[in-house]
């Protein structure tokens, strides 16, 4: 099976060389495709590969959704900057391994729409936050076992955080938003839809020292937020461009009117809500 595949690859390689005069890149790519396919056979060899080859392998395994807690340990290297794990089944154990990537800027752990990711908890997110202070973008949609402790660790240790997705992290409360408002001087885009956040959390976020930079807030399906949250955002966030709050039954026409005056060029670009 493997032999057949390799012979086929050699044909492809020759064809590519003849057609385009390229040599080295296609060979690396073909090897990486084979390694990704037969990862378990190459386990002992992967660790010593150079970073540029590992990067290709990581990219491929991520797209295929095949990166796991055990394979990620072998392919990571200290200068990895972006990890898109949204299609991969990984747990806190992968986050422990990722802690070697001190340069990490973006991590996508969003669960697929309508699904949850139970194996990521605050334990893993705390170790990520402590080891990766350069994080700019952290996507955690549907991590329902993540608690405020994990978000607090991100807020305190990752001062460059700009984009954070906590949507459907159903254990998240006001404490997370208060911590973000207090510590995150760079935060631009925050999604806390379908969490336990109430007015007090939103006020903590937008009355914090740094809230003025926020441009996008999604608080859809936070059933306890009221008009007071909308007023606080409009007052505390002069650069807000996108404000989403449908599925919030306590928000009334009063907010809609206040917002109506703000929609226009260079003002709010997108607002969605539900009228009850
Ligand atoms: C995550 O939450 C589920 C229920 O939502 C629970 O059964 C499971 O034990 C939790 N996992 C961890 C690692 O805490
Ligand atoms: C965050 O999650 C929400 C809800 O599923 C989604 O609409 C949004 O695109 C996500 N944002 C990012 C940056 O991943
Ligand atoms: C939201 O409001 C309901 C009803 O008023 C209350 O029982 C519940 O405790 C509130 N939830 C939070 C997180 O404050």
């Amino acid at each position: 099976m493997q032999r057949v595949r390799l012979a086929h690859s050699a044909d492809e390689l020759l064809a590519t060389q003849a057609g385009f005069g390229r040599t080295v890149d296609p060979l690396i790519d073909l090897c990486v495709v084979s390694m990704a396919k037969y990862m378990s056979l190459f386990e002992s060899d992967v660790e010593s590969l150079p970073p540029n080859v590992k990067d290709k392998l990581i990219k491929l395994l991520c797209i295929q959704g095949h990166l796991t807690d055990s394979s990620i340990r072998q392919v990571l290297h200290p200068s990895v900057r972006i990890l898109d794990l949204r299609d991969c089944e990984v747990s806190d154990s992968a986050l422990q391994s990722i802690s070697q990537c001190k340069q990490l800027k973006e991590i996508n752990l969003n669960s697929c729409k309508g699904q949850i990711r139970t194996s990521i908890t605050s334990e893993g997110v705390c170790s990520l936050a402590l080891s990766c202070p350069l994080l700019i973008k952290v996507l955690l949609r549907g991590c329902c076992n993540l608690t405020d402790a994990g978000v607090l660790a991100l807020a305190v240790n990752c001062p460059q955080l700009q984009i954070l997705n906590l949507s459907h992290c159903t254990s998240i409360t006001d404490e997370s938003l208060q911590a973000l408002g207090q510590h995150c001087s760079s935060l631009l885009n925050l999604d806390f839809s379908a969490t336990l956040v109430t007015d007090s959390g939103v006020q903590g976020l937008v009355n914090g020292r740094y809230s003025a930079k926020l441009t996008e807030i999604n608080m859809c399906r936070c059933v306890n937020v009221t008009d007071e949250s909308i007023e606080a955002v409009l007052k505390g966030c002069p650069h807000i461009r996108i404000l989403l709050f449908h599925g919030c039954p306590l928000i009334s026409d009063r907010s809609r009117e206040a917002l109506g005056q703000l929609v226009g060029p260079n003002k709010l670009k997108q607002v969605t809500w539900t009228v009850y």
Side-chain angles (χ1 to χ4, degrees):
M1 164 78 181
Q2 198 184 358
R3 184 174 285 189
V4 170
R5 173 63 202 153
L6 290 177
H8 180 50
S9 304
D11 281 348
E12 282 171 3
L13 175 63
L14 288 173
T16 316
Q17 281 180 323
F20 303 101
R22 283 196 268 140
T23 50
V24 179
D25 278 346
L27 179 57
I28 288 182
D29 291 347
L30 289 171
C31 292
V32 166
V33 168
S34 289
M35 285 191 106
K37 195 162 171 187
Y38 301 104
M39 194 60 186
S40 56
L41 294 177
F42 293 114
E43 252 170 27
S44 52
D45 306 314
V46 169
E47 201 144 8
S48 53
L49 290 171
N52 61 324
V53 178
K54 283 185 165 184
D55 283 338
K56 287 175 186 280
L57 201 50
I58 291 169
K59 206 165 167 184
L60 195 59
L61 289 167
C62 282
I63 291 170
Q64 296 171 339
H66 287 165
L67 215 49
T68 61
D69 284 348
S70 71
S71 62
I72 202 169
R73 206 173 310 134
Q74 284 135 15
V75 296
L76 285 177
H77 60 85
S79 44
V80 168
R81 286 184 160 73
I82 298 178
L83 280 172
D84 185 347
L85 300 170
R86 74 189 119 160
D87 295 320
C88 302
E89 289 262 345
V90 290
S91 74
D92 282 350
S93 151
L95 295 184
Q96 307 288 356
S97 309
I98 292 169
S99 297
Q100 66 167 291
C101 308
K102 311 286 182 212
Q103 312 289 318
L104 193 67
K105 289 188 184 303
E106 297 183 14
I107 184 163
N108 187 345
L109 286 163
N110 277 348
S111 57
C112 300
K113 268 219 151 66
Q115 292 183 0
I116 51 172
R117 194 189 275 281
T118 55
S119 51
I120 296 294
T121 73
S122 288
E123 197 183 328
V125 173
C126 284
S127 89
L128 179 77
L130 283 166
S131 313
C132 309
L134 305 180
L135 280 166
I136 291 174
K137 182 170 172 180
V138 179
L139 307 181
L140 297 163
R141 176 176 69 207
C143 292
C144 59
N145 282 342
L146 172 69
T147 60
D148 294 322
V151 178
L152 179 63
L154 286 170
V156 170
N157 296 292
C158 307
Q160 305 188 39
L161 195 61
Q162 293 181 2
I163 302 174
L164 179 60
N165 199 342
L166 299 173
S167 171
H168 292 83
C169 293
T170 46
S171 307
I172 292 302
T173 78
D174 292 337
E175 271 182 54
S176 286
L177 267 69
Q178 279 149 3
L180 292 167
Q182 218 175 339
H183 299 283
C184 291
S185 58
S186 306
L187 196 62
L188 300 174
N189 177 337
L190 178 63
D191 186 337
F192 54 94
S193 55
T195 61
L196 302 176
V197 168
T198 73
D199 287 341
S200 144
V202 176
Q203 282 157 354
L205 174 74
V206 305
N207 297 334
R209 266 183 292 170
Y210 304 116
S211 57
K213 280 190 181 166
L214 279 162
T215 60
E216 282 192 49
I217 294 180
N218 185 340
M219 59 171 93
C220 296
R221 294 187 201 88
C222 289
V223 295
N224 286 41
V225 299
T226 73
D227 291 328
E228 286 187 28
S229 283
I230 303 302
E231 276 161 32
V233 169
L234 293 180
K235 215 158 119 193
C237 309
H239 301 296
I240 198 81
R241 291 286 171 272
I242 297 180
L243 178 57
L244 311 180
F245 55 93
H246 57 79
C248 302
L250 302 182
I251 295 181
S252 75
D253 265 5
R254 203 173 100 203
S255 291
R256 191 174 53 86
E257 280 157 24
L259 283 161
Q261 299 162 10
L262 283 166
V263 180
N266 294 326
K267 292 181 182 172
L268 274 170
K269 213 167 69 189
Q270 189 190 356
V271 189
T272 70
W273 66 84
T274 319
V275 177
Y276 289 91

